[in-house]
């Protein structure tokens, strides 16, 4: 088992180039199932969730490859419509293959997806939408069998909540369905637009993505885009590196990002007292001196404050002067990082949707575990600014969404390394 060891107190300097977006590449890889031929993708992040999606594609009969930063997926021959339990459990986004497989094969057998434990994560909206489009779905001891031998039919979906995954699944199911599909109260996240751009590049007829109403006119088939398709930058990773700098101090140029995707996030760092400048696809952040508390942070669907950044900004606010209130509106159980931060000396009271963070003078390094992907990232941020060493296990969660986090941060001056369990025990004996 691997661990991250972080010696706090080293400020960050220099530049970081943000990886491609995890939440954008996963639905695009599922969309490849609908494309007869070889798709080339640029700016794919080297993260374990992407490799899990590639393993799913291979299990379906596709060929995947990666060369010089360009990934390819050849779905000319899809020979299976079944995704086994282990692959389905490897990540939440495995559910997105349901719409793509129904669109391509008219059937699929899957089971309930895995992913981070953020409270109940039902898939009722996904199932209801596929049924509405004509799929017959049955659940046999956790295996979900979906059949639409006559093909899917376009219809109107009015989502009770703008779920990102359900919107993507319906888009994938609808692009090759018969007739028109309308998704009202659709998710508006940038990753939805990235999927829309990819599907259009393959010949799909989609409009309205990025707004609340997406209209899809079914086409008979999709073909690979003539040019390699570029995945958008990861806005959550960019926010993470802002938070790392707010915790550690110093100044950092964060390159290859889309600042407009962070419009709800950047003001929080400004309220904390960080200087931020945005130019083109770059964000410059400078933190000198103490931090201040921020206004109440309420997580919302895009363009509101992202739930995925809630844990990440909590880290610097633990040592800000004053009190910051968080209200988590998207997931029921998304304060699991608070325990670890409290072990580092933070003062956080979390109950239900609300967490109250009262700034303390400093955090102290400890031995702790990443509770989930973004909670793990929050501990990394906090450890960079803490006094002494922090040892973080559960690194597999962090690797699901961050490409070479220790390499990226150490190039900017952080004292961070990845070691095995055995070396970690020796390290503890030495200090
Ligand atoms: C996606 C992101 C995740 C982010 C989340 C919210 C990916 C791979 N993951 O997750 O990083 O935190 O959006 O921005 O893109 N819900 C239901 N029934 C359903 C579907 C969802 O009740 O059928 C509920 C969920 O339990 C949750 C809320 O809707 O409370 C939002 O979930 P959703 O937008 O679907 O998130 P994901 O697509 O799972």
């Amino acid at each position: 088992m691997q661990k991250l060891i972080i010696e706090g107190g080293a400020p960050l300097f220099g530049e970081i180039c943000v990886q491609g977006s995890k939440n954008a590449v996963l639905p695009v890889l599922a969309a490849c199932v609908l494309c007869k031929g070889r798709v080339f993708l640029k700016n794919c992040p080297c993260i374990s969730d992407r490799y899990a999606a590639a393993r799913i594609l291979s299990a379906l009969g596709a060929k995947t490859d990666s060369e010089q930063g360009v990934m390819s997926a050849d779905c000319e021959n899809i020979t299976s419509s079944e995704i086994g339990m282990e692959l389905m459990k490897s990540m939440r986004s495995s559910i997105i293959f349901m719409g793509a497989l129904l669109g391509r094969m008219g059937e699929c057998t899957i089971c309930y997806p895995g992913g981070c434990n953020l409270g109940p994560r039902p898939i009722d909206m996904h199932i209801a939408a596929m049924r509405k489009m004509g799929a017959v779905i049955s659940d046999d001891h956790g295996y979900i069998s979906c059949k639409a031998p006559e093909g899917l039919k376009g219809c109107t979906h009015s989502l009770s909540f703008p779920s990102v995954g359900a919107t993507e699944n319906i888009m994938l199911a609808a692009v090759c369905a018969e007739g028109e599909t309308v998704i009202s109260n659709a998710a508006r996240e940038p990753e939805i637009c990235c999927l829309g751009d990819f599907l259009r590049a393959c010949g799909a007829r989609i409009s309205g993505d990025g707004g609340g109403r997406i209209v899809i006119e079914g086409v008979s088939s999709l073909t690979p885009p003539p040019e390699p398709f570029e995945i958008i930058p990861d806005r959550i990773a960019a926010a993470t590196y802002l938070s790392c700098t707010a915790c550690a101090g110093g100044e950092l140029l964060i390159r290859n990002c889309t600042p407009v995707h962070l419009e709800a996030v950047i003001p929080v760092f400004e309220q904390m007292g960080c200087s931020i400048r945005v130019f083109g696809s770059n964000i410059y952040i400078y933190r000198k001196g103490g931090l201040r508390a921020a206004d109440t942070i309420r997580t919302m669907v895009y363009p509101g404050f992202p739930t995925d950044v809630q844990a990440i900004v909590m880290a610097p606010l633990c040592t800000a002067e004053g009190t910051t209130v968080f209200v988590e509106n998207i997931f029921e159980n998304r304060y699991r990082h608070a325990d670890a931060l409290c072990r580092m000396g933070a003062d956080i009271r979390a109950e239900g949707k609300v967490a109250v963070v009262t700034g303390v003078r400093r955090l102290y390094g400890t031995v702790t575990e990443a509770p989930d992907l973004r909670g793990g990232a929050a501990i990394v941020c906090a450890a960079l600014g803490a006094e002494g060493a922090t040892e973080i296990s559960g690194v597999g969660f962090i690797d699901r969404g961050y490409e070479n986090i220790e390499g990226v941060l150490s190039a900017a001056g952080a004292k961070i390394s990845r070691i095995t369990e055995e070396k970690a025990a020796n390290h503890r004996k030495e200090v």
Side-chain angles (χ1 to χ4, degrees), residues 22-23 26 92-93 118 120-126 161-166 168 189 307-308 330-332 334 374:
K22 164 176 113 47
N23 288 354
L26 301 177
R92 170 78 182 173
S93 275
L118 313 175
R121 295 182 81 174
I123 53 168
D124 54 316
M125 289 162 71
H126 300 249
F161 180 90
S163 153
V164 174
E168 291 166 346
E189 271 67 3
T307 173
D308 286 353
I330 309 295
F331 289 106
E332 270 179 37
R334 212 170 185 177
R374 304 305 170 187

PDB file of all heavy atoms in Angstrom, residues 22-23 26 92-93 118 120-126 161-166 168 189 307-308 330-332 334 374, ligand 1:
ATOM      1  N   LYS A  22     -11.032  14.942 -15.547  1.00  0.00           N
ATOM      2  CA  LYS A  22     -11.523  13.585 -15.242  1.00  0.00           C
ATOM      3  C   LYS A  22     -12.992  13.446 -15.624  1.00  0.00           C
ATOM      4  O   LYS A  22     -13.381  12.518 -16.316  1.00  0.00           O
ATOM      5  CB  LYS A  22     -11.349  13.298 -13.739  1.00  0.00           C
ATOM      6  CG  LYS A  22     -12.148  12.102 -13.250  1.00  0.00           C
ATOM      7  CD  LYS A  22     -11.883  11.808 -11.804  1.00  0.00           C
ATOM      8  CE  LYS A  22     -12.993  12.012 -10.820  1.00  0.00           C
ATOM      9  NZ  LYS A  22     -14.305  11.516 -11.079  1.00  0.00           N
ATOM     10  N   ASN A  23     -13.797  14.396 -15.168  1.00  0.00           N
ATOM     11  CA  ASN A  23     -15.241  14.241 -15.368  1.00  0.00           C
ATOM     12  C   ASN A  23     -15.663  14.483 -16.813  1.00  0.00           C
ATOM     13  O   ASN A  23     -16.814  14.230 -17.173  1.00  0.00           O
ATOM     14  CB  ASN A  23     -16.011  15.178 -14.423  1.00  0.00           C
ATOM     15  CG  ASN A  23     -15.935  14.704 -12.983  1.00  0.00           C
ATOM     16  OD1 ASN A  23     -15.403  13.627 -12.711  1.00  0.00           O
ATOM     17  ND2 ASN A  23     -16.460  15.500 -12.059  1.00  0.00           N
ATOM     18  N   LEU A  26     -14.299  10.827 -18.977  1.00  0.00           N
ATOM     19  CA  LEU A  26     -15.004   9.558 -18.745  1.00  0.00           C
ATOM     20  C   LEU A  26     -16.248   9.413 -19.623  1.00  0.00           C
ATOM     21  O   LEU A  26     -16.402   8.397 -20.308  1.00  0.00           O
ATOM     22  CB  LEU A  26     -15.312   9.381 -17.254  1.00  0.00           C
ATOM     23  CG  LEU A  26     -14.068   9.381 -16.341  1.00  0.00           C
ATOM     24  CD1 LEU A  26     -14.453   9.277 -14.874  1.00  0.00           C
ATOM     25  CD2 LEU A  26     -13.114   8.242 -16.717  1.00  0.00           C
ATOM     26  N   ARG A  92     -17.774   5.437 -10.369  1.00  0.00           N
ATOM     27  CA  ARG A  92     -19.167   5.844 -10.521  1.00  0.00           C
ATOM     28  C   ARG A  92     -19.550   5.965 -12.002  1.00  0.00           C
ATOM     29  O   ARG A  92     -20.655   5.625 -12.412  1.00  0.00           O
ATOM     30  CB  ARG A  92     -19.340   7.207  -9.820  1.00  0.00           C
ATOM     31  CG  ARG A  92     -20.641   7.919 -10.053  1.00  0.00           C
ATOM     32  CD  ARG A  92     -21.761   7.353  -9.221  1.00  0.00           C
ATOM     33  NE  ARG A  92     -23.020   8.016  -9.499  1.00  0.00           N
ATOM     34  CZ  ARG A  92     -24.182   7.640  -9.018  1.00  0.00           C
ATOM     35  NH1 ARG A  92     -24.269   6.592  -8.230  1.00  0.00           N
ATOM     36  NH2 ARG A  92     -25.275   8.293  -9.321  1.00  0.00           N
ATOM     37  N   SER A  93     -18.623   6.446 -12.814  1.00  0.00           N
ATOM     38  CA  SER A  93     -18.950   6.744 -14.215  1.00  0.00           C
ATOM     39  C   SER A  93     -19.216   5.511 -15.055  1.00  0.00           C
ATOM     40  O   SER A  93     -19.618   5.635 -16.205  1.00  0.00           O
ATOM     41  CB  SER A  93     -17.815   7.537 -14.866  1.00  0.00           C
ATOM     42  OG  SER A  93     -17.991   8.882 -14.579  1.00  0.00           O
ATOM     43  N   LEU A 118     -20.182   9.263  -0.844  1.00  0.00           N
ATOM     44  CA  LEU A 118     -20.594  10.638  -0.508  1.00  0.00           C
ATOM     45  C   LEU A 118     -22.030  10.612   0.008  1.00  0.00           C
ATOM     46  O   LEU A 118     -22.760  11.580  -0.123  1.00  0.00           O
ATOM     47  CB  LEU A 118     -20.514  11.540  -1.753  1.00  0.00           C
ATOM     48  CG  LEU A 118     -19.226  11.453  -2.584  1.00  0.00           C
ATOM     49  CD1 LEU A 118     -19.347  12.304  -3.835  1.00  0.00           C
ATOM     50  CD2 LEU A 118     -18.038  11.921  -1.757  1.00  0.00           C
ATOM     51  N   PRO A 120     -25.834   8.328  -0.065  1.00  0.00           N
ATOM     52  CA  PRO A 120     -26.531   7.536  -1.072  1.00  0.00           C
ATOM     53  C   PRO A 120     -26.335   8.138  -2.462  1.00  0.00           C
ATOM     54  O   PRO A 120     -26.420   9.353  -2.622  1.00  0.00           O
ATOM     55  CB  PRO A 120     -28.004   7.629  -0.652  1.00  0.00           C
ATOM     56  CG  PRO A 120     -28.026   8.260   0.686  1.00  0.00           C
ATOM     57  CD  PRO A 120     -26.724   8.958   0.894  1.00  0.00           C
ATOM     58  N   ARG A 121     -25.999   7.283  -3.425  1.00  0.00           N
ATOM     59  CA  ARG A 121     -25.853   7.778  -4.799  1.00  0.00           C
ATOM     60  C   ARG A 121     -26.714   6.903  -5.713  1.00  0.00           C
ATOM     61  O   ARG A 121     -26.212   6.041  -6.436  1.00  0.00           O
ATOM     62  CB  ARG A 121     -24.392   7.764  -5.227  1.00  0.00           C
ATOM     63  CG  ARG A 121     -23.545   8.727  -4.425  1.00  0.00           C
ATOM     64  CD  ARG A 121     -22.114   8.757  -4.875  1.00  0.00           C
ATOM     65  NE  ARG A 121     -21.907   9.582  -6.047  1.00  0.00           N
ATOM     66  CZ  ARG A 121     -20.701   9.848  -6.559  1.00  0.00           C
ATOM     67  NH1 ARG A 121     -19.632   9.342  -6.013  1.00  0.00           N
ATOM     68  NH2 ARG A 121     -20.587  10.613  -7.624  1.00  0.00           N
ATOM     69  N   PRO A 122     -28.044   7.120  -5.664  1.00  0.00           N
ATOM     70  CA  PRO A 122     -28.936   6.257  -6.439  1.00  0.00           C
ATOM     71  C   PRO A 122     -28.786   6.479  -7.947  1.00  0.00           C
ATOM     72  O   PRO A 122     -28.213   7.479  -8.376  1.00  0.00           O
ATOM     73  CB  PRO A 122     -30.340   6.683  -5.972  1.00  0.00           C
ATOM     74  CG  PRO A 122     -30.178   8.031  -5.386  1.00  0.00           C
ATOM     75  CD  PRO A 122     -28.757   8.162  -4.922  1.00  0.00           C
ATOM     76  N   ILE A 123     -29.313   5.532  -8.739  1.00  0.00           N
ATOM     77  CA  ILE A 123     -29.293   5.687 -10.192  1.00  0.00           C
ATOM     78  C   ILE A 123     -30.720   5.651 -10.744  1.00  0.00           C
ATOM     79  O   ILE A 123     -30.943   5.308 -11.899  1.00  0.00           O
ATOM     80  CB  ILE A 123     -28.405   4.610 -10.871  1.00  0.00           C
ATOM     81  CG1 ILE A 123     -28.806   3.194 -10.429  1.00  0.00           C
ATOM     82  CG2 ILE A 123     -26.931   4.855 -10.579  1.00  0.00           C
ATOM     83  CD1 ILE A 123     -28.175   2.096 -11.284  1.00  0.00           C
ATOM     84  N   ASP A 124     -31.687   5.994  -9.859  1.00  0.00           N
ATOM     85  CA  ASP A 124     -33.095   5.918 -10.266  1.00  0.00           C
ATOM     86  C   ASP A 124     -33.400   6.783 -11.497  1.00  0.00           C
ATOM     87  O   ASP A 124     -34.167   6.380 -12.379  1.00  0.00           O
ATOM     88  CB  ASP A 124     -34.006   6.318  -9.086  1.00  0.00           C
ATOM     89  CG  ASP A 124     -33.642   7.677  -8.509  1.00  0.00           C
ATOM     90  OD1 ASP A 124     -32.437   7.950  -8.320  1.00  0.00           O
ATOM     91  OD2 ASP A 124     -34.546   8.484  -8.261  1.00  0.00           O
ATOM     92  N   MET A 125     -32.773   7.963 -11.582  1.00  0.00           N
ATOM     93  CA  MET A 125     -33.070   8.845 -12.726  1.00  0.00           C
ATOM     94  C   MET A 125     -32.532   8.250 -14.023  1.00  0.00           C
ATOM     95  O   MET A 125     -33.148   8.372 -15.083  1.00  0.00           O
ATOM     96  CB  MET A 125     -32.462  10.234 -12.489  1.00  0.00           C
ATOM     97  CG  MET A 125     -33.200  11.003 -11.403  1.00  0.00           C
ATOM     98  SD  MET A 125     -32.237  12.378 -10.757  1.00  0.00           S
ATOM     99  CE  MET A 125     -32.292  13.485 -12.120  1.00  0.00           C
ATOM    100  N   HIS A 126     -31.387   7.582 -13.938  1.00  0.00           N
ATOM    101  CA  HIS A 126     -30.806   6.938 -15.124  1.00  0.00           C
ATOM    102  C   HIS A 126     -31.756   5.842 -15.628  1.00  0.00           C
ATOM    103  O   HIS A 126     -32.077   5.761 -16.812  1.00  0.00           O
ATOM    104  CB  HIS A 126     -29.461   6.278 -14.777  1.00  0.00           C
ATOM    105  CG  HIS A 126     -28.413   7.223 -14.262  1.00  0.00           C
ATOM    106  ND1 HIS A 126     -27.280   7.543 -14.980  1.00  0.00           N
ATOM    107  CD2 HIS A 126     -28.301   7.911 -13.101  1.00  0.00           C
ATOM    108  CE1 HIS A 126     -26.518   8.375 -14.280  1.00  0.00           C
ATOM    109  NE2 HIS A 126     -27.128   8.613 -13.132  1.00  0.00           N
ATOM    110  N   PHE A 161     -33.931  16.746 -10.831  1.00  0.00           N
ATOM    111  CA  PHE A 161     -32.711  17.414 -10.356  1.00  0.00           C
ATOM    112  C   PHE A 161     -31.747  17.379 -11.547  1.00  0.00           C
ATOM    113  O   PHE A 161     -31.701  16.377 -12.260  1.00  0.00           O
ATOM    114  CB  PHE A 161     -32.123  16.636  -9.157  1.00  0.00           C
ATOM    115  CG  PHE A 161     -30.864  17.247  -8.609  1.00  0.00           C
ATOM    116  CD1 PHE A 161     -30.914  18.200  -7.610  1.00  0.00           C
ATOM    117  CD2 PHE A 161     -29.612  16.889  -9.115  1.00  0.00           C
ATOM    118  CE1 PHE A 161     -29.748  18.785  -7.112  1.00  0.00           C
ATOM    119  CE2 PHE A 161     -28.456  17.461  -8.626  1.00  0.00           C
ATOM    120  CZ  PHE A 161     -28.525  18.407  -7.621  1.00  0.00           C
ATOM    121  N   PRO A 162     -30.980  18.457 -11.759  1.00  0.00           N
ATOM    122  CA  PRO A 162     -30.094  18.440 -12.942  1.00  0.00           C
ATOM    123  C   PRO A 162     -28.857  17.564 -12.727  1.00  0.00           C
ATOM    124  O   PRO A 162     -27.743  18.063 -12.611  1.00  0.00           O
ATOM    125  CB  PRO A 162     -29.739  19.922 -13.129  1.00  0.00           C
ATOM    126  CG  PRO A 162     -29.912  20.540 -11.787  1.00  0.00           C
ATOM    127  CD  PRO A 162     -30.970  19.755 -11.058  1.00  0.00           C
ATOM    128  N   SER A 163     -29.080  16.271 -12.659  1.00  0.00           N
ATOM    129  CA  SER A 163     -27.989  15.314 -12.419  1.00  0.00           C
ATOM    130  C   SER A 163     -27.034  15.299 -13.606  1.00  0.00           C
ATOM    131  O   SER A 163     -27.455  15.185 -14.764  1.00  0.00           O
ATOM    132  CB  SER A 163     -28.597  13.917 -12.208  1.00  0.00           C
ATOM    133  OG  SER A 163     -27.682  12.912 -12.578  1.00  0.00           O
ATOM    134  N   VAL A 164     -25.741  15.385 -13.285  1.00  0.00           N
ATOM    135  CA  VAL A 164     -24.710  15.374 -14.327  1.00  0.00           C
ATOM    136  C   VAL A 164     -24.725  14.023 -15.041  1.00  0.00           C
ATOM    137  O   VAL A 164     -24.822  13.930 -16.267  1.00  0.00           O
ATOM    138  CB  VAL A 164     -23.315  15.645 -13.703  1.00  0.00           C
ATOM    139  CG1 VAL A 164     -22.213  15.499 -14.737  1.00  0.00           C
ATOM    140  CG2 VAL A 164     -23.281  17.020 -13.058  1.00  0.00           C
ATOM    141  N   GLY A 165     -24.643  12.945 -14.242  1.00  0.00           N
ATOM    142  CA  GLY A 165     -24.568  11.608 -14.831  1.00  0.00           C
ATOM    143  C   GLY A 165     -25.813  11.251 -15.621  1.00  0.00           C
ATOM    144  O   GLY A 165     -25.727  10.672 -16.711  1.00  0.00           O
ATOM    145  N   ALA A 166     -27.000  11.583 -15.090  1.00  0.00           N
ATOM    146  CA  ALA A 166     -28.245  11.235 -15.802  1.00  0.00           C
ATOM    147  C   ALA A 166     -28.330  12.013 -17.112  1.00  0.00           C
ATOM    148  O   ALA A 166     -28.734  11.469 -18.151  1.00  0.00           O
ATOM    149  CB  ALA A 166     -29.459  11.511 -14.907  1.00  0.00           C
ATOM    150  N   GLU A 168     -25.831  13.034 -18.938  1.00  0.00           N
ATOM    151  CA  GLU A 168     -24.878  12.407 -19.883  1.00  0.00           C
ATOM    152  C   GLU A 168     -25.430  11.095 -20.421  1.00  0.00           C
ATOM    153  O   GLU A 168     -25.329  10.807 -21.626  1.00  0.00           O
ATOM    154  CB  GLU A 168     -23.537  12.168 -19.177  1.00  0.00           C
ATOM    155  CG  GLU A 168     -22.811  13.465 -18.857  1.00  0.00           C
ATOM    156  CD  GLU A 168     -21.659  13.333 -17.880  1.00  0.00           C
ATOM    157  OE1 GLU A 168     -21.534  12.278 -17.210  1.00  0.00           O
ATOM    158  OE2 GLU A 168     -20.884  14.285 -17.742  1.00  0.00           O
ATOM    159  N   GLU A 189     -23.095  21.708 -16.451  1.00  0.00           N
ATOM    160  CA  GLU A 189     -21.656  21.690 -16.169  1.00  0.00           C
ATOM    161  C   GLU A 189     -20.842  21.735 -17.469  1.00  0.00           C
ATOM    162  O   GLU A 189     -21.282  21.221 -18.506  1.00  0.00           O
ATOM    163  CB  GLU A 189     -21.309  20.402 -15.390  1.00  0.00           C
ATOM    164  CG  GLU A 189     -21.408  20.496 -13.872  1.00  0.00           C
ATOM    165  CD  GLU A 189     -22.814  20.686 -13.307  1.00  0.00           C
ATOM    166  OE1 GLU A 189     -23.795  20.698 -14.080  1.00  0.00           O
ATOM    167  OE2 GLU A 189     -22.940  20.840 -12.086  1.00  0.00           O
ATOM    168  N   THR A 307     -19.652  21.252  -5.622  1.00  0.00           N
ATOM    169  CA  THR A 307     -19.509  20.368  -4.456  1.00  0.00           C
ATOM    170  C   THR A 307     -18.120  19.734  -4.414  1.00  0.00           C
ATOM    171  O   THR A 307     -17.574  19.502  -3.340  1.00  0.00           O
ATOM    172  CB  THR A 307     -20.615  19.280  -4.451  1.00  0.00           C
ATOM    173  OG1 THR A 307     -20.342  18.348  -3.412  1.00  0.00           O
ATOM    174  CG2 THR A 307     -20.712  18.519  -5.758  1.00  0.00           C
ATOM    175  N   ASP A 308     -17.532  19.497  -5.585  1.00  0.00           N
ATOM    176  CA  ASP A 308     -16.208  18.865  -5.614  1.00  0.00           C
ATOM    177  C   ASP A 308     -15.111  19.780  -5.060  1.00  0.00           C
ATOM    178  O   ASP A 308     -14.006  19.313  -4.787  1.00  0.00           O
ATOM    179  CB  ASP A 308     -15.840  18.452  -7.051  1.00  0.00           C
ATOM    180  CG  ASP A 308     -16.608  17.225  -7.503  1.00  0.00           C
ATOM    181  OD1 ASP A 308     -17.316  16.620  -6.681  1.00  0.00           O
ATOM    182  OD2 ASP A 308     -16.511  16.874  -8.696  1.00  0.00           O
ATOM    183  N   ILE A 330     -25.536  19.259  -2.374  1.00  0.00           N
ATOM    184  CA  ILE A 330     -25.618  18.248  -3.443  1.00  0.00           C
ATOM    185  C   ILE A 330     -25.578  16.823  -2.890  1.00  0.00           C
ATOM    186  O   ILE A 330     -26.393  15.986  -3.261  1.00  0.00           O
ATOM    187  CB  ILE A 330     -24.480  18.431  -4.483  1.00  0.00           C
ATOM    188  CG1 ILE A 330     -24.421  19.885  -4.981  1.00  0.00           C
ATOM    189  CG2 ILE A 330     -24.643  17.455  -5.642  1.00  0.00           C
ATOM    190  CD1 ILE A 330     -25.622  20.362  -5.757  1.00  0.00           C
ATOM    191  N   PHE A 331     -24.632  16.549  -2.001  1.00  0.00           N
ATOM    192  CA  PHE A 331     -24.501  15.192  -1.456  1.00  0.00           C
ATOM    193  C   PHE A 331     -24.771  15.203   0.042  1.00  0.00           C
ATOM    194  O   PHE A 331     -24.502  16.174   0.735  1.00  0.00           O
ATOM    195  CB  PHE A 331     -23.108  14.620  -1.752  1.00  0.00           C
ATOM    196  CG  PHE A 331     -22.912  14.281  -3.205  1.00  0.00           C
ATOM    197  CD1 PHE A 331     -22.117  15.072  -4.012  1.00  0.00           C
ATOM    198  CD2 PHE A 331     -23.544  13.190  -3.781  1.00  0.00           C
ATOM    199  CE1 PHE A 331     -21.934  14.777  -5.361  1.00  0.00           C
ATOM    200  CE2 PHE A 331     -23.379  12.879  -5.126  1.00  0.00           C
ATOM    201  CZ  PHE A 331     -22.576  13.675  -5.918  1.00  0.00           C
ATOM    202  N   GLU A 332     -25.268  14.051   0.547  1.00  0.00           N
ATOM    203  CA  GLU A 332     -25.705  13.979   1.946  1.00  0.00           C
ATOM    204  C   GLU A 332     -24.560  13.801   2.933  1.00  0.00           C
ATOM    205  O   GLU A 332     -24.670  14.155   4.087  1.00  0.00           O
ATOM    206  CB  GLU A 332     -26.652  12.784   2.104  1.00  0.00           C
ATOM    207  CG  GLU A 332     -28.091  13.154   1.857  1.00  0.00           C
ATOM    208  CD  GLU A 332     -28.998  11.960   1.999  1.00  0.00           C
ATOM    209  OE1 GLU A 332     -28.774  11.110   2.873  1.00  0.00           O
ATOM    210  OE2 GLU A 332     -29.952  11.883   1.191  1.00  0.00           O
ATOM    211  N   ARG A 334     -20.899  14.571   2.792  1.00  0.00           N
ATOM    212  CA  ARG A 334     -19.675  15.016   2.138  1.00  0.00           C
ATOM    213  C   ARG A 334     -18.771  15.836   3.053  1.00  0.00           C
ATOM    214  O   ARG A 334     -18.086  16.746   2.598  1.00  0.00           O
ATOM    215  CB  ARG A 334     -20.007  15.783   0.860  1.00  0.00           C
ATOM    216  CG  ARG A 334     -18.890  15.534  -0.130  1.00  0.00           C
ATOM    217  CD  ARG A 334     -19.072  15.979  -1.507  1.00  0.00           C
ATOM    218  NE  ARG A 334     -17.897  15.504  -2.264  1.00  0.00           N
ATOM    219  CZ  ARG A 334     -17.712  15.659  -3.545  1.00  0.00           C
ATOM    220  NH1 ARG A 334     -18.622  16.257  -4.272  1.00  0.00           N
ATOM    221  NH2 ARG A 334     -16.633  15.213  -4.145  1.00  0.00           N
ATOM    222  N   ARG A 374     -11.856  13.876  -3.269  1.00  0.00           N
ATOM    223  CA  ARG A 374     -11.639  15.307  -2.975  1.00  0.00           C
ATOM    224  C   ARG A 374     -11.281  15.532  -1.505  1.00  0.00           C
ATOM    225  O   ARG A 374     -10.572  16.488  -1.177  1.00  0.00           O
ATOM    226  CB  ARG A 374     -12.877  16.126  -3.368  1.00  0.00           C
ATOM    227  CG  ARG A 374     -13.288  15.962  -4.827  1.00  0.00           C
ATOM    228  CD  ARG A 374     -12.175  16.258  -5.827  1.00  0.00           C
ATOM    229  NE  ARG A 374     -12.581  15.843  -7.182  1.00  0.00           N
ATOM    230  CZ  ARG A 374     -11.777  15.852  -8.232  1.00  0.00           C
ATOM    231  NH1 ARG A 374     -10.515  16.253  -8.136  1.00  0.00           N
ATOM    232  NH2 ARG A 374     -12.213  15.440  -9.412  1.00  0.00           N
TER     233      ARG A 374
HETATM  234  C1  LIG B   1     -20.876  14.052 -11.065  1.00  0.00           C
HETATM  235  C2  LIG B   1     -19.384  14.151 -10.905  1.00  0.00           C
HETATM  236  C3  LIG B   1     -19.017  14.388  -9.458  1.00  0.00           C
HETATM  237  C4  LIG B   1     -19.750  15.605  -8.908  1.00  0.00           C
HETATM  238  C5  LIG B   1     -21.244  15.494  -9.187  1.00  0.00           C
HETATM  239  C6  LIG B   1     -22.013  16.758  -8.809  1.00  0.00           C
HETATM  240  C7  LIG B   1     -18.549  12.723 -12.658  1.00  0.00           C
HETATM  241  C8  LIG B   1     -17.816  11.469 -13.004  1.00  0.00           C
HETATM  242  N1  LIG B   1     -18.786  12.902 -11.346  1.00  0.00           N
HETATM  243  O1  LIG B   1     -21.306  12.921 -10.302  1.00  0.00           O
HETATM  244  O2  LIG B   1     -17.604  14.604  -9.400  1.00  0.00           O
HETATM  245  O3  LIG B   1     -19.535  15.677  -7.526  1.00  0.00           O
HETATM  246  O4  LIG B   1     -21.482  15.253 -10.579  1.00  0.00           O
HETATM  247  O5  LIG B   1     -21.492  17.848  -9.491  1.00  0.00           O
HETATM  248  O6  LIG B   1     -18.857  13.534 -13.514  1.00  0.00           O
HETATM  249  N2  LIG B   1     -29.072  11.598  -7.909  1.00  0.00           N
HETATM  250  C9  LIG B   1     -30.214  10.860  -7.652  1.00  0.00           C
HETATM  251  N3  LIG B   1     -30.596   9.937  -8.579  1.00  0.00           N
HETATM  252  C10 LIG B   1     -29.914   9.692  -9.719  1.00  0.00           C
HETATM  253  C11 LIG B   1     -28.759  10.465  -9.972  1.00  0.00           C
HETATM  254  C12 LIG B   1     -28.364  11.412  -9.037  1.00  0.00           C
HETATM  255  O7  LIG B   1     -30.859  11.024  -6.620  1.00  0.00           O
HETATM  256  O8  LIG B   1     -30.308   8.842 -10.519  1.00  0.00           O
HETATM  257  C13 LIG B   1     -28.631  12.600  -6.905  1.00  0.00           C
HETATM  258  C14 LIG B   1     -27.289  12.222  -6.265  1.00  0.00           C
HETATM  259  O9  LIG B   1     -27.459  11.282  -5.211  1.00  0.00           O
HETATM  260  C15 LIG B   1     -26.770  13.535  -5.789  1.00  0.00           C
HETATM  261  C16 LIG B   1     -27.270  14.503  -6.881  1.00  0.00           C
HETATM  262  O10 LIG B   1     -28.337  13.821  -7.556  1.00  0.00           O
HETATM  263  O11 LIG B   1     -27.351  13.888  -4.567  1.00  0.00           O
HETATM  264  C17 LIG B   1     -26.191  14.903  -7.869  1.00  0.00           C
HETATM  265  O12 LIG B   1     -25.691  13.773  -8.495  1.00  0.00           O
HETATM  266  P1  LIG B   1     -25.146  13.793  -9.987  1.00  0.00           P
HETATM  267  O13 LIG B   1     -25.183  15.175 -10.557  1.00  0.00           O
HETATM  268  O14 LIG B   1     -25.820  12.708 -10.737  1.00  0.00           O
HETATM  269  O15 LIG B   1     -23.623  13.386  -9.748  1.00  0.00           O
HETATM  270  P2  LIG B   1     -22.776  12.326 -10.528  1.00  0.00           P
HETATM  271  O16 LIG B   1     -23.097  12.358 -11.968  1.00  0.00           O
HETATM  272  O17 LIG B   1     -22.795  11.031  -9.786  1.00  0.00           O
END
